[in-house]
Short mmCIF file of all heavy atoms in Angstrom, two decimals:
data_model
loop_
_atom_site.label_atom_id
_atom_site.label_comp_id
_atom_site.label_asym_id
_atom_site.label_seq_id
_atom_site.Cartn_x
_atom_site.Cartn_y
_atom_site.Cartn_z
N ALA J 105 45.95 -10.65 -17.89
CA ALA J 105 45.70 -9.79 -16.74
C ALA J 105 46.51 -10.23 -15.52
O ALA J 105 46.57 -11.42 -15.21
CB ALA J 105 44.22 -9.79 -16.39
N PRO J 106 47.13 -9.28 -14.82
CA PRO J 106 47.81 -9.61 -13.57
C PRO J 106 46.80 -9.89 -12.47
O PRO J 106 45.61 -9.58 -12.61
CB PRO J 106 48.62 -8.35 -13.27
CG PRO J 106 47.83 -7.24 -13.90
CD PRO J 106 47.22 -7.83 -15.13
N ASP J 107 47.25 -10.47 -11.39
CA ASP J 107 46.36 -10.76 -10.26
C ASP J 107 46.16 -9.51 -9.42
O ASP J 107 46.66 -9.38 -8.31
CB ASP J 107 46.93 -11.91 -9.41
CG ASP J 107 46.75 -13.25 -10.09
OD1 ASP J 107 45.70 -13.46 -10.71
OD2 ASP J 107 47.66 -14.09 -10.00
N GLU J 108 45.43 -8.59 -9.98
CA GLU J 108 45.06 -7.35 -9.32
C GLU J 108 43.57 -7.13 -9.54
O GLU J 108 43.07 -7.33 -10.66
CB GLU J 108 45.85 -6.16 -9.88
CG GLU J 108 47.35 -6.28 -9.70
CD GLU J 108 48.10 -5.15 -10.36
OE1 GLU J 108 47.44 -4.20 -10.86
OE2 GLU J 108 49.34 -5.22 -10.40
N VAL J 109 42.87 -6.73 -8.50
CA VAL J 109 41.42 -6.62 -8.58
C VAL J 109 40.99 -5.70 -9.72
O VAL J 109 40.13 -6.05 -10.53
CB VAL J 109 40.84 -6.11 -7.24
CG1 VAL J 109 39.36 -5.76 -7.38
CG2 VAL J 109 41.04 -7.15 -6.15
N ARG J 110 41.63 -4.54 -9.82
CA ARG J 110 41.20 -3.58 -10.84
C ARG J 110 41.40 -4.14 -12.24
O ARG J 110 40.54 -3.99 -13.11
CB ARG J 110 41.98 -2.27 -10.69
CG ARG J 110 41.49 -1.18 -11.63
CD ARG J 110 42.40 0.03 -11.67
NE ARG J 110 41.85 1.01 -12.59
CZ ARG J 110 41.96 0.92 -13.91
NH1 ARG J 110 42.56 -0.13 -14.46
NH2 ARG J 110 41.44 1.85 -14.69
N GLU J 111 42.54 -4.76 -12.48
CA GLU J 111 42.82 -5.27 -13.83
C GLU J 111 41.90 -6.43 -14.20
O GLU J 111 41.49 -6.58 -15.35
CB GLU J 111 44.28 -5.70 -13.91
CG GLU J 111 45.27 -4.57 -13.70
CD GLU J 111 45.03 -3.40 -14.64
OE1 GLU J 111 44.80 -3.65 -15.85
OE2 GLU J 111 45.05 -2.25 -14.18
N LEU J 112 41.57 -7.25 -13.24
CA LEU J 112 40.66 -8.36 -13.50
C LEU J 112 39.25 -7.84 -13.80
O LEU J 112 38.57 -8.34 -14.71
CB LEU J 112 40.64 -9.32 -12.32
CG LEU J 112 41.94 -10.11 -12.10
CD1 LEU J 112 41.90 -10.84 -10.76
CD2 LEU J 112 42.17 -11.11 -13.24
N LEU J 113 38.81 -6.85 -13.05
CA LEU J 113 37.50 -6.26 -13.31
C LEU J 113 37.48 -5.56 -14.67
O LEU J 113 36.47 -5.62 -15.39
CB LEU J 113 37.14 -5.26 -12.22
CG LEU J 113 36.76 -5.87 -10.86
CD1 LEU J 113 36.56 -4.77 -9.83
CD2 LEU J 113 35.50 -6.73 -10.97
N ALA J 114 38.58 -4.93 -15.04
CA ALA J 114 38.66 -4.28 -16.34
C ALA J 114 38.51 -5.30 -17.46
O ALA J 114 37.85 -5.05 -18.48
CB ALA J 114 39.98 -3.52 -16.48
N ALA J 115 39.12 -6.48 -17.28
CA ALA J 115 38.99 -7.54 -18.28
C ALA J 115 37.53 -7.99 -18.40
O ALA J 115 37.00 -8.15 -19.50
CB ALA J 115 39.89 -8.71 -17.92
N LEU J 116 36.89 -8.19 -17.25
CA LEU J 116 35.50 -8.62 -17.25
C LEU J 116 34.60 -7.59 -17.92
O LEU J 116 33.77 -7.93 -18.78
CB LEU J 116 35.03 -8.85 -15.82
CG LEU J 116 33.54 -9.13 -15.63
CD1 LEU J 116 33.14 -10.43 -16.33
CD2 LEU J 116 33.17 -9.17 -14.16
N ILE J 117 34.76 -6.33 -17.55
CA ILE J 117 33.89 -5.28 -18.07
C ILE J 117 34.13 -5.05 -19.56
O ILE J 117 33.19 -4.82 -20.32
CB ILE J 117 34.08 -4.00 -17.24
CG1 ILE J 117 33.47 -4.20 -15.85
CG2 ILE J 117 33.49 -2.77 -17.93
CD1 ILE J 117 33.82 -3.15 -14.83
N THR J 118 35.36 -5.17 -20.01
CA THR J 118 35.65 -5.06 -21.44
C THR J 118 34.96 -6.16 -22.22
O THR J 118 34.38 -5.92 -23.29
CB THR J 118 37.16 -5.12 -21.69
OG1 THR J 118 37.80 -4.02 -21.03
CG2 THR J 118 37.48 -5.05 -23.18
N ALA J 119 35.01 -7.38 -21.69
CA ALA J 119 34.35 -8.50 -22.36
C ALA J 119 32.84 -8.33 -22.38
O ALA J 119 32.19 -8.55 -23.41
CB ALA J 119 34.73 -9.82 -21.68
N GLU J 120 32.27 -7.92 -21.26
CA GLU J 120 30.83 -7.70 -21.20
C GLU J 120 30.41 -6.59 -22.17
O GLU J 120 29.35 -6.68 -22.80
CB GLU J 120 30.41 -7.35 -19.78
CG GLU J 120 30.54 -8.48 -18.78
CD GLU J 120 29.55 -9.59 -19.05
OE1 GLU J 120 28.35 -9.39 -18.83
OE2 GLU J 120 29.98 -10.65 -19.52
N ALA J 121 31.23 -5.57 -22.29
CA ALA J 121 30.90 -4.45 -23.16
C ALA J 121 30.89 -4.84 -24.63
O ALA J 121 30.27 -4.14 -25.45
CB ALA J 121 31.89 -3.31 -22.94
N SER J 122 31.52 -5.94 -24.97
CA SER J 122 31.49 -6.39 -26.37
C SER J 122 30.06 -6.70 -26.81
O SER J 122 29.74 -6.63 -28.00
CB SER J 122 32.40 -7.61 -26.56
OG SER J 122 31.90 -8.74 -25.86
N GLU J 123 29.18 -7.04 -25.87
CA GLU J 123 27.79 -7.31 -26.19
C GLU J 123 27.01 -6.04 -26.52
O GLU J 123 25.92 -6.11 -27.09
CB GLU J 123 27.11 -8.05 -25.04
CG GLU J 123 27.53 -9.49 -24.87
CD GLU J 123 26.95 -10.37 -25.97
OE1 GLU J 123 27.60 -10.49 -27.04
OE2 GLU J 123 25.85 -10.94 -25.79
N LEU J 124 27.56 -4.89 -26.17
CA LEU J 124 26.90 -3.63 -26.51
C LEU J 124 27.01 -3.31 -27.99
O LEU J 124 26.32 -2.41 -28.49
CB LEU J 124 27.50 -2.48 -25.70
CG LEU J 124 27.21 -2.46 -24.20
CD1 LEU J 124 28.04 -1.39 -23.52
CD2 LEU J 124 25.73 -2.24 -23.93
N ARG J 125 27.87 -4.02 -28.73
CA ARG J 125 28.14 -3.71 -30.13
C ARG J 125 26.98 -4.09 -31.06
O ARG J 125 26.86 -3.54 -32.15
CB ARG J 125 29.39 -4.45 -30.62
CG ARG J 125 30.67 -4.19 -29.85
CD ARG J 125 31.29 -2.83 -30.18
NE ARG J 125 30.54 -1.76 -29.54
CZ ARG J 125 30.62 -1.47 -28.24
NH1 ARG J 125 31.41 -2.16 -27.45
NH2 ARG J 125 29.93 -0.48 -27.73
N THR J 126 26.17 -5.06 -30.64
CA THR J 126 25.09 -5.54 -31.50
C THR J 126 23.75 -5.47 -30.78
O THR J 126 23.68 -5.50 -29.54
CB THR J 126 25.33 -7.00 -31.93
OG1 THR J 126 25.23 -7.86 -30.78
CG2 THR J 126 26.70 -7.16 -32.59
N GLU J 127 22.69 -5.41 -31.56
CA GLU J 127 21.35 -5.41 -30.97
C GLU J 127 21.09 -6.71 -30.23
O GLU J 127 20.49 -6.72 -29.16
CB GLU J 127 20.30 -5.20 -32.06
CG GLU J 127 18.90 -4.97 -31.53
CD GLU J 127 17.96 -4.45 -32.60
OE1 GLU J 127 18.12 -3.28 -33.01
OE2 GLU J 127 17.08 -5.22 -33.02
N ARG J 128 21.58 -7.81 -30.79
CA ARG J 128 21.41 -9.10 -30.14
C ARG J 128 22.11 -9.11 -28.78
O ARG J 128 21.55 -9.56 -27.77
CB ARG J 128 22.00 -10.20 -31.02
CG ARG J 128 21.82 -11.58 -30.46
CD ARG J 128 22.37 -12.65 -31.38
NE ARG J 128 21.82 -13.94 -31.06
CZ ARG J 128 22.12 -15.06 -31.70
NH1 ARG J 128 22.97 -15.04 -32.71
NH2 ARG J 128 21.56 -16.21 -31.33
N GLY J 129 23.33 -8.62 -28.74
CA GLY J 129 24.06 -8.59 -27.49
C GLY J 129 23.40 -7.70 -26.46
O GLY J 129 23.37 -8.02 -25.27
N ARG J 130 22.86 -6.57 -26.90
CA ARG J 130 22.19 -5.66 -25.98
C ARG J 130 20.99 -6.33 -25.33
O ARG J 130 20.75 -6.18 -24.13
CB ARG J 130 21.76 -4.40 -26.72
CG ARG J 130 22.91 -3.55 -27.24
CD ARG J 130 22.46 -2.54 -28.26
NE ARG J 130 23.60 -1.88 -28.90
CZ ARG J 130 23.52 -1.12 -29.98
NH1 ARG J 130 22.34 -0.92 -30.55
NH2 ARG J 130 24.61 -0.58 -30.48
N ARG J 131 20.25 -7.07 -26.12
CA ARG J 131 19.10 -7.78 -25.55
C ARG J 131 19.56 -8.83 -24.54
O ARG J 131 18.94 -8.99 -23.48
CB ARG J 131 18.31 -8.44 -26.69
CG ARG J 131 17.52 -7.45 -27.53
CD ARG J 131 16.93 -8.10 -28.75
NE ARG J 131 16.08 -7.17 -29.50
CZ ARG J 131 15.78 -7.29 -30.77
NH1 ARG J 131 16.27 -8.32 -31.46
NH2 ARG J 131 15.01 -6.41 -31.38
N CYS J 132 20.63 -9.53 -24.87
CA CYS J 132 21.11 -10.56 -23.96
C CYS J 132 21.65 -9.97 -22.66
O CYS J 132 21.54 -10.59 -21.60
CB CYS J 132 22.17 -11.41 -24.65
SG CYS J 132 21.48 -12.56 -25.88
N LEU J 133 22.22 -8.78 -22.72
CA LEU J 133 22.65 -8.11 -21.49
C LEU J 133 21.45 -7.81 -20.60
O LEU J 133 21.53 -7.94 -19.37
CB LEU J 133 23.40 -6.81 -21.82
CG LEU J 133 24.82 -6.96 -22.34
CD1 LEU J 133 25.35 -5.61 -22.82
CD2 LEU J 133 25.75 -7.53 -21.27
N ARG J 134 20.35 -7.42 -21.20
CA ARG J 134 19.15 -7.14 -20.43
C ARG J 134 18.60 -8.41 -19.79
O ARG J 134 18.05 -8.38 -18.69
CB ARG J 134 18.08 -6.49 -21.32
CG ARG J 134 18.49 -5.12 -21.86
CD ARG J 134 17.29 -4.33 -22.31
NE ARG J 134 16.44 -4.00 -21.17
CZ ARG J 134 15.22 -3.47 -21.27
NH1 ARG J 134 14.70 -3.24 -22.46
NH2 ARG J 134 14.52 -3.21 -20.20
N ILE J 135 18.74 -9.52 -20.50
CA ILE J 135 18.26 -10.79 -19.96
C ILE J 135 19.15 -11.29 -18.84
O ILE J 135 18.67 -11.66 -17.76
CB ILE J 135 18.18 -11.84 -21.08
CG1 ILE J 135 17.17 -11.41 -22.15
CG2 ILE J 135 17.80 -13.21 -20.52
CD1 ILE J 135 17.25 -12.21 -23.44
N SER J 136 20.45 -11.30 -19.06
CA SER J 136 21.36 -11.89 -18.08
C SER J 136 21.37 -11.12 -16.77
O SER J 136 21.60 -11.70 -15.70
CB SER J 136 22.79 -11.99 -18.64
OG SER J 136 23.27 -10.72 -19.03
N ALA J 137 21.09 -9.81 -16.80
CA ALA J 137 21.04 -9.04 -15.56
C ALA J 137 19.94 -9.55 -14.64
O ALA J 137 20.04 -9.43 -13.41
CB ALA J 137 20.84 -7.56 -15.86
N GLN J 138 18.89 -10.13 -15.22
CA GLN J 138 17.80 -10.67 -14.41
C GLN J 138 18.17 -11.98 -13.73
O GLN J 138 17.47 -12.44 -12.84
CB GLN J 138 16.57 -10.90 -15.30
CG GLN J 138 16.06 -9.66 -16.01
CD GLN J 138 14.96 -10.00 -17.00
OE1 GLN J 138 13.94 -10.59 -16.64
NE2 GLN J 138 15.15 -9.63 -18.25
N LEU J 139 19.29 -12.56 -14.15
CA LEU J 139 19.69 -13.88 -13.64
C LEU J 139 20.95 -13.81 -12.79
O LEU J 139 21.48 -14.85 -12.41
CB LEU J 139 19.94 -14.82 -14.83
CG LEU J 139 18.81 -14.93 -15.85
CD1 LEU J 139 19.27 -15.75 -17.06
CD2 LEU J 139 17.58 -15.54 -15.21
N SER J 140 21.42 -12.60 -12.47
CA SER J 140 22.69 -12.47 -11.77
C SER J 140 22.68 -13.15 -10.41
O SER J 140 23.72 -13.63 -9.92
CB SER J 140 23.06 -10.99 -11.61
OG SER J 140 22.07 -10.31 -10.84
#
Side-chain angles (χ1 to χ4, degrees):
D107 285 322
E108 299 176 6
V109 171
R110 186 190 180 283
E111 297 306 316
L112 291 170
L113 287 175
L116 172 64
I117 289 168
T118 299
E120 292 292 290
S122 67
E123 287 287 88
L124 290 172
R125 303 284 75 76
T126 67
E127 189 167 289
R128 182 178 199 180
R130 294 164 189 168
R131 287 172 175 157
C132 286
L133 285 171
R134 296 200 66 190
I135 297 167
S136 58
Q138 301 173 56
L139 307 173
S140 61

